[in-house]
Each structure stands twice: as structure tokens, then as C-alpha cells.
Amino acid sequence: MFDSLRSRLILTLLSLLTVLAIASGLATLTTMKQDSQQQAEQALQVAANVLLQALENRATQLSNSVRLLASDYGFRRAIATAEQETILSVLDNHGSRVDAALAVLFAPDGQLLASTNPALNSSDFSPFFDPAQSRNAAAFSDIQRLGDESFQLVLVPVRAPQVIAWIGMGFQLDQQLAEQIKGITGLDISFTSAQGRNHSSRNSTLASHLQPAVLAALPELNAGQQSPFSSPDEQYLSLALPLDQHHALWALLHYPTERWQSSYQQIRQQLLTIFGVSLALAFILALVIARSITQPLNRLTQFATAITKGESKVRLPQATGEVGVLSQTLSQMQQAVQQREEQLVHQARHDHLTGLKNRTYAEQELQQLLSQYHCSLILLNIKNFRHINDSLGFTSGDSLLQQVAERLKLVKPAASLLARLGGDEFLMAYPRPFQDSDALILKMQLQQDYHLDGSALSLSFVLGIYCIEADSQPVSDALRRLDIALSRAKQLQEQYSFYQQGQDEHHQRRLTILRDLPTALQSNQLFVVYQPKVDLKQYRCHAAEALIRWAHPELGFIPPDEFIQLAEHAGLINQVTDWMLSAVIRQLALWRSQGIELKVAVNLSAHDLSNPSLPEHIAAILQQHQLPTKALALEVTEGAVMKDPKQVIHILHQLRQMGIELAIDDFGTGQSSLAYLKQLPVHEVKIDRAFVKDIENNYQDELIVSATAQLAHGLGLKVTAEGLENKAGLSILRQHQCDTVQGYFFSKPLTAEQFSSWLGSFSLQPKQWFAPEDL
């Protein structure tokens, strides 16, 4: 609600005015209230002074009258002769003349001799008249409660010449006195008596229903200065005055708060009216100001919103001042946005290097093309383009890509869709079937010389072709099959290939293998088999080669060459090797506990040998199972060594120093084997089965085996022949001094339980496998 600029402007102005009005109003009303309360307190103080002065005047009047009577000779004689009737008559007559409510006569010892109020006795006057204190006193004056009434008393001694008696007169503190005081001060008054903290009203000018509330609000009274207090209903502000020495009698003056609250309320109402009118005017003014500011901004907002929606035919609102500058800025922004949008659209749909359509835009157009036409898709790749980048630099590579893109635009017939999918891959689409002749013509047009820094350069191209009948198959499926065709074309001499039905299934099989391999490592789908390695000199089997196998629950048996190669390409080979090492070492430990001591060889890949922590990892597994290093052998291929000879040789040296026996597997099938053989810290050379399986029928194979064995023995290495399948081949291998043989002749790869059984039977009669002339 308050997110808009208009609302915030109005709210700000109104809030500012409200704060100022409330602050000034509170200050004014607070000051007025304080002044009115001070005036009320002053009025109470004046009334208190008037009350005290009136009581003092009455005391003086009584004192003069009593002194006059005390000096009368006849009255003194009547006292001396104890004429009781005369005394009572004189007291009554003299008191009536001064309107005294009480006249009394005391003996010097304090005994009451006569009183105009027969209900009183000496004990009633004991708090007021003490004979011991009165011996040297000239007179007494005080306000005293006698019985149920309160009196202002004056006592004067009667001397002849000694004190023969005390005469006193008193005025009653009654309703009449209260009315007189109210008439003088204009304030209500109450006379109260106190017993502890309880007060009772004696005489009051207040209405009877107001008296209990005022008495209930009385604070703890003492002889000190009293402060005004308010009644619970705040109708009166009262002041308490003590009237006697014992603080048993009090006078309460009452100032009605209505006198000043009415003016206070009137002024407060006026202030509220002024505030309300000011607030209304301020709201109207704020509304006008906010509208004058926000209306042009709203029009500019609508203009900006139209720009964001891509509406180009929007009228720019006219404005002046700062808003006008903002309007012009938005207009310039509209033009810049349109230009930028066109650039972004082009960049989103086209390759920034070649200007051809990019993969995203090509997929959008392909979806429509595939559903309407019987078309052909061609995925084109520059052969060995990576080597061009490595040798000539990326700048030269980008220049060649741009030239290829221009050449593709000029080929005949022209493609209905031309795009660069990424790297050196280009996509072409024709709304007709594509033949072998079309592929040859396209290659011929593309292989003409390209120019780079004034030099002519010839490029070779690989084509994957997919002919599709009009259907609604997903673009992703079409591109995947096209990529499958391109991968197959790289393996053919013609360098182009048409997608054939069933190739997709092979691709899906590869994806399934890669997807399920991590799970297979954890769910015991993989297992290890062991092929015996027989010592031809001792006729014993003390070693074996461990081979991995996979029984997939859906695909069945998967050849090791298939999933090992995929694992290497997908970066999963380290997981496979870790699993294989753990499984083999665990089985070796079990055999050792059963009294079977073997050396088992495990194959390592090129990725394994690039791991610097491989020796430490193998040592940790051996230590875990308390197995000596001599129980484990490792085999590496010549191809693995050639990936990174320096790193591999360093790793092999570490493994040899640990006491692990090393062997070169598939010797004779790699490249530069003789150049690196002398540098490799290996113990054994394994002749590949390609030279062994048919050795009895192929003289060339026999020469290769003989030369390899002589070379290995000359370097101090043992020789193992793989792939032996018959007894005739065994004789030839013994003739050429091969140390160890493995192959189906002795046994196929066996599970651990089968291998244990075979080993037991072979150990009993090992020589039955050999010809008599070989023994």
C-alpha cells in the first residue's frame, strides 16, 4: 500500500504535520494544566491563610472577653465565696454576649467548678488543661475536641491576687463556622477528626455523597507541611491543615477542579479542531503535490513497461524539468534496448565466431523440419583439427573455422539448414534423401585448399549422415544417431558413414554399461577369475593372473575389453582397479590362511599409472590384510607406458622398491617397445597370445617368440607365453626356453573355489600335461 512514491509523499507530509501538531498541542496543554494546578494550589493556600486568620481573630475575641470577666470584682468574690448559682449565671450571661458556645470555670488543681454544658466533666478537659503546666501560664488557647463536638477554647487565670481559678470560653467549630469560611474564601471546607489513619467528617460544606470519597483520599497526615491531593474522581483538589496540637482535628479546604478543567477542556477541543482542519488541508495539499510529481512519473513508468514488453510504437510522454530529462533518457534507452535486443536475439541464435546458426536455434528449426519433410542430416567434423590448434595456435584454428563456414555457405546444392554445433562440428540439413554420391561431392567441395597466412592448407572432413523419414521423433534422438554415424565414419577409410538401424542400440548399451558400472562395483555383480601360470622348469604352478568378469542382470555377460575401455574413457577405471586390488588381496590372504601361497598378477591401466598415490594405496591394502608384497604382481601394457613414459617409469620404480614383481603384458603388439624395454624396472615379459596360439603352424610366430625370449633373457627378465592351447605349442615354447606358460591348454580362467580344486589336482600329477620328450 505504501510502496508507491505518491503514498510515501502523502504519508511523509501528514506524518510531519501530525508530529508537529501533537508536540505543540502536548506542550500547550501540559503548560496550561500545570498553570491551572498552580493557581488552584495558590487559591488553597490563600484560603488556608484566611482560615487561620479567622481562627486567630476568634481566639483574640474570646481572650479579650474572658480577660474582662476575670478582672470583674463581683465575679472574683463569687468565686471566692463559692456562690455556684452566681458563677453559672455570670458564665452564661457573659458567654451569650460574645456568642460563646461554652463557658467553664476550673479550680487551680484542674477540677471543673462550673460549666454551661452540664454534659462535660473534668476528664474531658484533661488533654487541654494541665494544672502542673498552668501555674506560671498567663493564658491557654487551643482547639479541642470535647465529647462529640470541637471547640476553640481560651483559658485565663482569675487572680485575687493569687490564682484562685481558671475561666474559659470557647467557640464551636460547627457548620455555621464552615459556611462563614466558605463565604469568605469561596472554597468548600470540612472539619474532620482523626483516630490513627481513620478520619470522620464533623462539619463540611461538601455534599454528603462527596465526603466519603474525599476522606478516603486523605494521605498520612502529620504536623509538617501538607501537599494538595486529589480525590479519586478528581473533582476536588484538597489541602489539609492541623487545628490542634495533637493533630486530632483537621480542616480540609476543597478547590473544585471543574473551574480550571473546563477551560482546559475547551482549549483542548479547540486545538483538536485546529489540528483536524490542518490535517485535512495538509492531506489535500500533499495529494496535489504528490499527484503533480507522480503523474508524470507514472506515465514514464507506463512507457518503460511498454519498452520491457517490446512495444516499439509507444508515444513518449511530454514533460519538463528533471522529469523531462528522465523522459529523454528513457527514449534513448528505448532505442538502445531495441538495438541490444536485436543483437541478443542474433547472438542467441547464431555462433559468434562463424555467424552460422548455433546448436540451440538449430534444434528449434530441426523439430519443425523433421516433422514435415523426408530429410537428411549431415554432421561434419574436421579431421585432426585438435592437432591444427596445437601446432598452429587457436587464432589460426578460428580462422580456419570461419573459412569452413564460408565454404559451407557456397556448397551446391545449398543446405536448408546450416549450423555450427560446437568446436569443429557443423550441421547441415537437406529436405531430401542423401546418397553416397552426394557425400563424395560434398567432400570434394570442402577439401579444396584453405589459406592461412599466405599458405595453402588442405583439410580432411569426416561426415556422419542420417536419413530420416518425416516423423515426430525428438531432435535429441536424431542428433544422437547422427553422432553415432560420425563416430563410425572416423573408423572407416571413406570417412563418411550413414546411420544404420541397430547402431543406436549399441550406443544405448554403452550408456547402460557406464551408468551401471558404479552400482555393479558395490553390488557384487563383478567377480574375479584366476588363470594358472605354470612354471615349465619346475612343473609347478605358483602363480596366476587375476581377470575381472561382469555378469550384468539385464545385459548378461559383458566382455572385460568392452567395459574396461569404456571405464577408461569415462574416468571410472580407478574405481575398477581399486575394487580389483581389494578383491585379489583379500582372496590371497584367505588362501594364505589355508596354507596356499601364490603370486597373483593384476593388470593396471594407463590411468592407474598416472596416479602418484598408487604405491601408497597398494601398500595400505596389503598392510590391512597383513600380506607380504611378494604375493602381488602387477602387469602393465606397452601402450600404458607410452602414454607418459617418465611418470610411468617413476611409479614402476616405486612399486619395484616395495618388492612387487612387475611384468610387461602383450609384449610385441605396442610401439617403441625395444626403445623403452631397457628403461623399465620390470621382472617379466609376457608374449602376447597372438604369437602363441598358432605357433605350431606359423614359423614367423615361432621366430618372434624365440627372438623375444632371447632378448628378455639377455636383459635378465623372465618370459611368460600367453594363449597356449595345445601340447604341440607347449613343446615349442619349452624349446625356446620360455619360463612360464598360461592358456586354455592348462586351464581356462577359474573362480577362486575352482582354482583351489584345480591347483590341488595339478599338484598331485603335474607331469601328465607334458610330452615324454619334454620331461
mmCIF file with all atom_site columns, all heavy atoms in Angstrom, residues 208-228:
data_model
loop_
_atom_site.group_PDB
_atom_site.id
_atom_site.type_symbol
_atom_site.label_atom_id
_atom_site.label_alt_id
_atom_site.label_comp_id
_atom_site.label_asym_id
_atom_site.label_entity_id
_atom_site.label_seq_id
_atom_site.pdbx_PDB_ins_code
_atom_site.Cartn_x
_atom_site.Cartn_y
_atom_site.Cartn_z
_atom_site.occupancy
_atom_site.B_iso_or_equiv
_atom_site.pdbx_formal_charge
_atom_site.auth_seq_id
_atom_site.auth_comp_id
_atom_site.auth_asym_id
_atom_site.auth_atom_id
_atom_site.pdbx_PDB_model_num
ATOM 1   N N   . SER A 1 208 ? -23.056 15.621 50.907 1.00 0.00 ? 208 SER A N   1
ATOM 2   C CA  . SER A 1 208 ? -22.835 14.433 51.729 1.00 0.00 ? 208 SER A CA  1
ATOM 3   C C   . SER A 1 208 ? -22.305 13.256 50.919 1.00 0.00 ? 208 SER A C   1
ATOM 4   O O   . SER A 1 208 ? -21.517 12.450 51.421 1.00 0.00 ? 208 SER A O   1
ATOM 5   C CB  . SER A 1 208 ? -24.145 14.049 52.419 1.00 0.00 ? 208 SER A CB  1
ATOM 6   O OG  . SER A 1 208 ? -25.161 13.793 51.438 1.00 0.00 ? 208 SER A OG  1
ATOM 7   N N   . HIS A 1 209 ? -22.681 13.126 49.618 1.00 0.00 ? 209 HIS A N   1
ATOM 8   C CA  . HIS A 1 209 ? -22.210 11.980 48.835 1.00 0.00 ? 209 HIS A CA  1
ATOM 9   C C   . HIS A 1 209 ? -20.768 12.133 48.377 1.00 0.00 ? 209 HIS A C   1
ATOM 10  O O   . HIS A 1 209 ? -20.161 11.164 47.911 1.00 0.00 ? 209 HIS A O   1
ATOM 11  C CB  . HIS A 1 209 ? -23.129 11.784 47.621 1.00 0.00 ? 209 HIS A CB  1
ATOM 12  C CG  . HIS A 1 209 ? -23.037 12.900 46.611 1.00 0.00 ? 209 HIS A CG  1
ATOM 13  N ND1 . HIS A 1 209 ? -23.721 14.104 46.781 1.00 0.00 ? 209 HIS A ND1 1
ATOM 14  C CD2 . HIS A 1 209 ? -22.331 13.013 45.460 1.00 0.00 ? 209 HIS A CD2 1
ATOM 15  C CE1 . HIS A 1 209 ? -23.455 14.905 45.752 1.00 0.00 ? 209 HIS A CE1 1
ATOM 16  N NE2 . HIS A 1 209 ? -22.618 14.249 44.938 1.00 0.00 ? 209 HIS A NE2 1
ATOM 17  N N   . LEU A 1 210 ? -20.226 13.365 48.512 1.00 0.00 ? 210 LEU A N   1
ATOM 18  C CA  . LEU A 1 210 ? -18.835 13.579 48.105 1.00 0.00 ? 210 LEU A CA  1
ATOM 19  C C   . LEU A 1 210 ? -17.869 13.414 49.264 1.00 0.00 ? 210 LEU A C   1
ATOM 20  O O   . LEU A 1 210 ? -16.674 13.208 49.046 1.00 0.00 ? 210 LEU A O   1
ATOM 21  C CB  . LEU A 1 210 ? -18.666 14.973 47.506 1.00 0.00 ? 210 LEU A CB  1
ATOM 22  C CG  . LEU A 1 210 ? -19.440 15.264 46.220 1.00 0.00 ? 210 LEU A CG  1
ATOM 23  C CD1 . LEU A 1 210 ? -19.237 16.710 45.807 1.00 0.00 ? 210 LEU A CD1 1
ATOM 24  C CD2 . LEU A 1 210 ? -19.008 14.329 45.109 1.00 0.00 ? 210 LEU A CD2 1
ATOM 25  N N   . GLN A 1 211 ? -18.366 13.515 50.494 1.00 0.00 ? 211 GLN A N   1
ATOM 26  C CA  . GLN A 1 211 ? -17.472 13.498 51.644 1.00 0.00 ? 211 GLN A CA  1
ATOM 27  C C   . GLN A 1 211 ? -16.707 12.177 51.796 1.00 0.00 ? 211 GLN A C   1
ATOM 28  O O   . GLN A 1 211 ? -15.496 12.191 52.058 1.00 0.00 ? 211 GLN A O   1
ATOM 29  C CB  . GLN A 1 211 ? -18.272 13.816 52.910 1.00 0.00 ? 211 GLN A CB  1
ATOM 30  C CG  . GLN A 1 211 ? -18.836 15.232 52.905 1.00 0.00 ? 211 GLN A CG  1
ATOM 31  C CD  . GLN A 1 211 ? -19.669 15.516 54.159 1.00 0.00 ? 211 GLN A CD  1
ATOM 32  O OE1 . GLN A 1 211 ? -19.505 14.846 55.171 1.00 0.00 ? 211 GLN A OE1 1
ATOM 33  N NE2 . GLN A 1 211 ? -20.555 16.513 54.079 1.00 0.00 ? 211 GLN A NE2 1
ATOM 34  N N   . PRO A 1 212 ? -17.347 11.002 51.635 1.00 0.00 ? 212 PRO A N   1
ATOM 35  C CA  . PRO A 1 212 ? -16.562 9.753  51.803 1.00 0.00 ? 212 PRO A CA  1
ATOM 36  C C   . PRO A 1 212 ? -15.396 9.635  50.821 1.00 0.00 ? 212 PRO A C   1
ATOM 37  O O   . PRO A 1 212 ? -14.322 9.146  51.186 1.00 0.00 ? 212 PRO A O   1
ATOM 38  C CB  . PRO A 1 212 ? -17.607 8.661  51.581 1.00 0.00 ? 212 PRO A CB  1
ATOM 39  C CG  . PRO A 1 212 ? -18.911 9.307  51.894 1.00 0.00 ? 212 PRO A CG  1
ATOM 40  C CD  . PRO A 1 212 ? -18.785 10.726 51.460 1.00 0.00 ? 212 PRO A CD  1
ATOM 41  N N   . ALA A 1 213 ? -15.597 10.047 49.591 1.00 0.00 ? 213 ALA A N   1
ATOM 42  C CA  . ALA A 1 213 ? -14.516 9.934  48.594 1.00 0.00 ? 213 ALA A CA  1
ATOM 43  C C   . ALA A 1 213 ? -13.344 10.821 48.949 1.00 0.00 ? 213 ALA A C   1
ATOM 44  O O   . ALA A 1 213 ? -12.185 10.435 48.798 1.00 0.00 ? 213 ALA A O   1
ATOM 45  C CB  . ALA A 1 213 ? -15.051 10.283 47.203 1.00 0.00 ? 213 ALA A CB  1
ATOM 46  N N   . VAL A 1 214 ? -13.627 12.038 49.473 1.00 0.00 ? 214 VAL A N   1
ATOM 47  C CA  . VAL A 1 214 ? -12.547 12.950 49.842 1.00 0.00 ? 214 VAL A CA  1
ATOM 48  C C   . VAL A 1 214 ? -11.794 12.412 51.043 1.00 0.00 ? 214 VAL A C   1
ATOM 49  O O   . VAL A 1 214 ? -10.559 12.426 51.101 1.00 0.00 ? 214 VAL A O   1
ATOM 50  C CB  . VAL A 1 214 ? -13.112 14.355 50.110 1.00 0.00 ? 214 VAL A CB  1
ATOM 51  C CG1 . VAL A 1 214 ? -12.011 15.265 50.645 1.00 0.00 ? 214 VAL A CG1 1
ATOM 52  C CG2 . VAL A 1 214 ? -13.718 14.932 48.851 1.00 0.00 ? 214 VAL A CG2 1
ATOM 53  N N   . LEU A 1 215 ? -12.527 11.897 52.032 1.00 0.00 ? 215 LEU A N   1
ATOM 54  C CA  . LEU A 1 215 ? -11.871 11.351 53.221 1.00 0.00 ? 215 LEU A CA  1
ATOM 55  C C   . LEU A 1 215 ? -11.029 10.117 52.881 1.00 0.00 ? 215 LEU A C   1
ATOM 56  O O   . LEU A 1 215 ? -9.968  9.902  53.455 1.00 0.00 ? 215 LEU A O   1
ATOM 57  C CB  . LEU A 1 215 ? -12.933 10.999 54.271 1.00 0.00 ? 215 LEU A CB  1
ATOM 58  C CG  . LEU A 1 215 ? -13.668 12.186 54.909 1.00 0.00 ? 215 LEU A CG  1
ATOM 59  C CD1 . LEU A 1 215 ? -14.730 11.690 55.879 1.00 0.00 ? 215 LEU A CD1 1
ATOM 60  C CD2 . LEU A 1 215 ? -12.700 13.111 55.630 1.00 0.00 ? 215 LEU A CD2 1
ATOM 61  N N   . ALA A 1 216 ? -11.505 9.307  51.926 1.00 0.00 ? 216 ALA A N   1
ATOM 62  C CA  . ALA A 1 216 ? -10.750 8.110  51.550 1.00 0.00 ? 216 ALA A CA  1
ATOM 63  C C   . ALA A 1 216 ? -9.434  8.445  50.874 1.00 0.00 ? 216 ALA A C   1
ATOM 64  O O   . ALA A 1 216 ? -8.499  7.650  50.885 1.00 0.00 ? 216 ALA A O   1
ATOM 65  C CB  . ALA A 1 216 ? -11.591 7.239  50.626 1.00 0.00 ? 216 ALA A CB  1
ATOM 66  N N   . ALA A 1 217 ? -9.340  9.626  50.269 1.00 0.00 ? 217 ALA A N   1
ATOM 67  C CA  . ALA A 1 217 ? -8.117  10.034 49.572 1.00 0.00 ? 217 ALA A CA  1
ATOM 68  C C   . ALA A 1 217 ? -7.131  10.744 50.463 1.00 0.00 ? 217 ALA A C   1
ATOM 69  O O   . ALA A 1 217 ? -6.068  11.152 50.004 1.00 0.00 ? 217 ALA A O   1
ATOM 70  C CB  . ALA A 1 217 ? -8.468  10.925 48.377 1.00 0.00 ? 217 ALA A CB  1
ATOM 71  N N   . LEU A 1 218 ? -7.490  10.932 51.779 1.00 0.00 ? 218 LEU A N   1
ATOM 72  C CA  . LEU A 1 218 ? -6.579  11.636 52.677 1.00 0.00 ? 218 LEU A CA  1
ATOM 73  C C   . LEU A 1 218 ? -5.266  10.874 52.804 1.00 0.00 ? 218 LEU A C   1
ATOM 74  O O   . LEU A 1 218 ? -5.258  9.666  53.057 1.00 0.00 ? 218 LEU A O   1
ATOM 75  C CB  . LEU A 1 218 ? -7.212  11.784 54.053 1.00 0.00 ? 218 LEU A CB  1
ATOM 76  C CG  . LEU A 1 218 ? -8.172  12.976 54.237 1.00 0.00 ? 218 LEU A CG  1
ATOM 77  C CD1 . LEU A 1 218 ? -8.890  12.850 55.562 1.00 0.00 ? 218 LEU A CD1 1
ATOM 78  C CD2 . LEU A 1 218 ? -7.429  14.285 54.145 1.00 0.00 ? 218 LEU A CD2 1
ATOM 79  N N   . PRO A 1 219 ? -4.127  11.538 52.630 1.00 0.00 ? 219 PRO A N   1
ATOM 80  C CA  . PRO A 1 219 ? -2.844  10.879 52.852 1.00 0.00 ? 219 PRO A CA  1
ATOM 81  C C   . PRO A 1 219 ? -2.541  10.766 54.334 1.00 0.00 ? 219 PRO A C   1
ATOM 82  O O   . PRO A 1 219 ? -3.329  11.184 55.185 1.00 0.00 ? 219 PRO A O   1
ATOM 83  C CB  . PRO A 1 219 ? -1.860  11.811 52.131 1.00 0.00 ? 219 PRO A CB  1
ATOM 84  C CG  . PRO A 1 219 ? -2.494  13.162 52.239 1.00 0.00 ? 219 PRO A CG  1
ATOM 85  C CD  . PRO A 1 219 ? -3.992  12.942 52.178 1.00 0.00 ? 219 PRO A CD  1
ATOM 86  N N   . GLU A 1 220 ? -1.385  10.198 54.651 1.00 0.00 ? 220 GLU A N   1
ATOM 87  C CA  . GLU A 1 220 ? -0.942  10.139 56.043 1.00 0.00 ? 220 GLU A CA  1
ATOM 88  C C   . GLU A 1 220 ? -0.628  11.554 56.502 1.00 0.00 ? 220 GLU A C   1
ATOM 89  O O   . GLU A 1 220 ? 0.281   12.208 55.993 1.00 0.00 ? 220 GLU A O   1
ATOM 90  C CB  . GLU A 1 220 ? 0.306   9.257  56.150 1.00 0.00 ? 220 GLU A CB  1
ATOM 91  C CG  . GLU A 1 220 ? 0.794   9.057  57.556 1.00 0.00 ? 220 GLU A CG  1
ATOM 92  C CD  . GLU A 1 220 ? -0.107  8.123  58.342 1.00 0.00 ? 220 GLU A CD  1
ATOM 93  O OE1 . GLU A 1 220 ? -0.800  7.291  57.716 1.00 0.00 ? 220 GLU A OE1 1
ATOM 94  O OE2 . GLU A 1 220 ? -0.126  8.225  59.562 1.00 0.00 ? 220 GLU A OE2 1
ATOM 95  N N   . LEU A 1 221 ? -1.397  12.080 57.453 1.00 0.00 ? 221 LEU A N   1
ATOM 96  C CA  . LEU A 1 221 ? -1.272  13.481 57.875 1.00 0.00 ? 221 LEU A CA  1
ATOM 97  C C   . LEU A 1 221 ? -0.316  13.589 59.056 1.00 0.00 ? 221 LEU A C   1
ATOM 98  O O   . LEU A 1 221 ? -0.286  12.732 59.942 1.00 0.00 ? 221 LEU A O   1
ATOM 99  C CB  . LEU A 1 221 ? -2.645  14.040 58.257 1.00 0.00 ? 221 LEU A CB  1
ATOM 100 C CG  . LEU A 1 221 ? -3.687  14.025 57.127 1.00 0.00 ? 221 LEU A CG  1
ATOM 101 C CD1 . LEU A 1 221 ? -5.013  14.568 57.639 1.00 0.00 ? 221 LEU A CD1 1
ATOM 102 C CD2 . LEU A 1 221 ? -3.215  14.839 55.946 1.00 0.00 ? 221 LEU A CD2 1
ATOM 103 N N   . ASN A 1 222 ? 0.458   14.657 59.044 1.00 0.00 ? 222 ASN A N   1
ATOM 104 C CA  . ASN A 1 222 ? 1.346   14.956 60.170 1.00 0.00 ? 222 ASN A CA  1
ATOM 105 C C   . ASN A 1 222 ? 1.424   16.459 60.331 1.00 0.00 ? 222 ASN A C   1
ATOM 106 O O   . ASN A 1 222 ? 0.780   17.222 59.586 1.00 0.00 ? 222 ASN A O   1
ATOM 107 C CB  . ASN A 1 222 ? 2.729   14.333 59.953 1.00 0.00 ? 222 ASN A CB  1
ATOM 108 C CG  . ASN A 1 222 ? 3.321   14.743 58.607 1.00 0.00 ? 222 ASN A CG  1
ATOM 109 O OD1 . ASN A 1 222 ? 3.408   15.925 58.315 1.00 0.00 ? 222 ASN A OD1 1
ATOM 110 N ND2 . ASN A 1 222 ? 3.708   13.755 57.801 1.00 0.00 ? 222 ASN A ND2 1
ATOM 111 N N   . ALA A 1 223 ? 2.213   16.846 61.255 1.00 0.00 ? 223 ALA A N   1
ATOM 112 C CA  . ALA A 1 223 ? 2.257   18.283 61.580 1.00 0.00 ? 223 ALA A CA  1
ATOM 113 C C   . ALA A 1 223 ? 3.031   19.084 60.562 1.00 0.00 ? 223 ALA A C   1
ATOM 114 O O   . ALA A 1 223 ? 2.981   20.308 60.561 1.00 0.00 ? 223 ALA A O   1
ATOM 115 C CB  . ALA A 1 223 ? 2.857   18.481 62.971 1.00 0.00 ? 223 ALA A CB  1
ATOM 116 N N   . GLY A 1 224 ? 3.777   18.423 59.678 1.00 0.00 ? 224 GLY A N   1
ATOM 117 C CA  . GLY A 1 224 ? 4.570   19.144 58.696 1.00 0.00 ? 224 GLY A CA  1
ATOM 118 C C   . GLY A 1 224 ? 3.723   19.763 57.607 1.00 0.00 ? 224 GLY A C   1
ATOM 119 O O   . GLY A 1 224 ? 2.494   19.676 57.595 1.00 0.00 ? 224 GLY A O   1
ATOM 120 N N   . GLN A 1 225 ? 4.421   20.362 56.628 1.00 0.00 ? 225 GLN A N   1
ATOM 121 C CA  . GLN A 1 225 ? 3.720   20.998 55.513 1.00 0.00 ? 225 GLN A CA  1
ATOM 122 C C   . GLN A 1 225 ? 2.995   19.947 54.697 1.00 0.00 ? 225 GLN A C   1
ATOM 123 O O   . GLN A 1 225 ? 3.569   18.953 54.300 1.00 0.00 ? 225 GLN A O   1
ATOM 124 C CB  . GLN A 1 225 ? 4.728   21.755 54.626 1.00 0.00 ? 225 GLN A CB  1
ATOM 125 C CG  . GLN A 1 225 ? 4.095   22.463 53.452 1.00 0.00 ? 225 GLN A CG  1
ATOM 126 C CD  . GLN A 1 225 ? 3.190   23.615 53.866 1.00 0.00 ? 225 GLN A CD  1
ATOM 127 O OE1 . GLN A 1 225 ? 3.458   24.265 54.866 1.00 0.00 ? 225 GLN A OE1 1
ATOM 128 N NE2 . GLN A 1 225 ? 2.113   23.833 53.135 1.00 0.00 ? 225 GLN A NE2 1
ATOM 129 N N   . GLN A 1 226 ? 1.732   20.144 54.424 1.00 0.00 ? 226 GLN A N   1
ATOM 130 C CA  . GLN A 1 226 ? 0.925   19.211 53.669 1.00 0.00 ? 226 GLN A CA  1
ATOM 131 C C   . GLN A 1 226 ? 0.843   19.673 52.215 1.00 0.00 ? 226 GLN A C   1
ATOM 132 O O   . GLN A 1 226 ? 0.780   20.867 51.932 1.00 0.00 ? 226 GLN A O   1
ATOM 133 C CB  . GLN A 1 226 ? -0.484  19.098 54.265 1.00 0.00 ? 226 GLN A CB  1
ATOM 134 C CG  . GLN A 1 226 ? -0.498  18.649 55.713 1.00 0.00 ? 226 GLN A CG  1
ATOM 135 C CD  . GLN A 1 226 ? 0.095   17.263 55.872 1.00 0.00 ? 226 GLN A CD  1
ATOM 136 O OE1 . GLN A 1 226 ? -0.176  16.393 55.067 1.00 0.00 ? 226 GLN A OE1 1
ATOM 137 N NE2 . GLN A 1 226 ? 0.906   17.094 56.909 1.00 0.00 ? 226 GLN A NE2 1
ATOM 138 N N   . SER A 1 227 ? 0.842   18.692 51.300 1.00 0.00 ? 227 SER A N   1
ATOM 139 C CA  . SER A 1 227 ? 0.701   18.999 49.882 1.00 0.00 ? 227 SER A CA  1
ATOM 140 C C   . SER A 1 227 ? -0.725  18.742 49.446 1.00 0.00 ? 227 SER A C   1
ATOM 141 O O   . SER A 1 227 ? -1.405  17.855 49.982 1.00 0.00 ? 227 SER A O   1
ATOM 142 C CB  . SER A 1 227 ? 1.644   18.119 49.051 1.00 0.00 ? 227 SER A CB  1
ATOM 143 O OG  . SER A 1 227 ? 2.974   18.349 49.423 1.00 0.00 ? 227 SER A OG  1
ATOM 144 N N   . PRO A 1 228 ? -1.210  19.478 48.467 1.00 0.00 ? 228 PRO A N   1
ATOM 145 C CA  . PRO A 1 228 ? -2.574  19.258 47.977 1.00 0.00 ? 228 PRO A CA  1
ATOM 146 C C   . PRO A 1 228 ? -2.691  17.853 47.398 1.00 0.00 ? 228 PRO A C   1
ATOM 147 O O   . PRO A 1 228 ? -1.733  17.289 46.857 1.00 0.00 ? 228 PRO A O   1
ATOM 148 C CB  . PRO A 1 228 ? -2.736  20.326 46.899 1.00 0.00 ? 228 PRO A CB  1
ATOM 149 C CG  . PRO A 1 228 ? -1.751  21.383 47.242 1.00 0.00 ? 228 PRO A CG  1
ATOM 150 C CD  . PRO A 1 228 ? -0.587  20.667 47.849 1.00 0.00 ? 228 PRO A CD  1
#
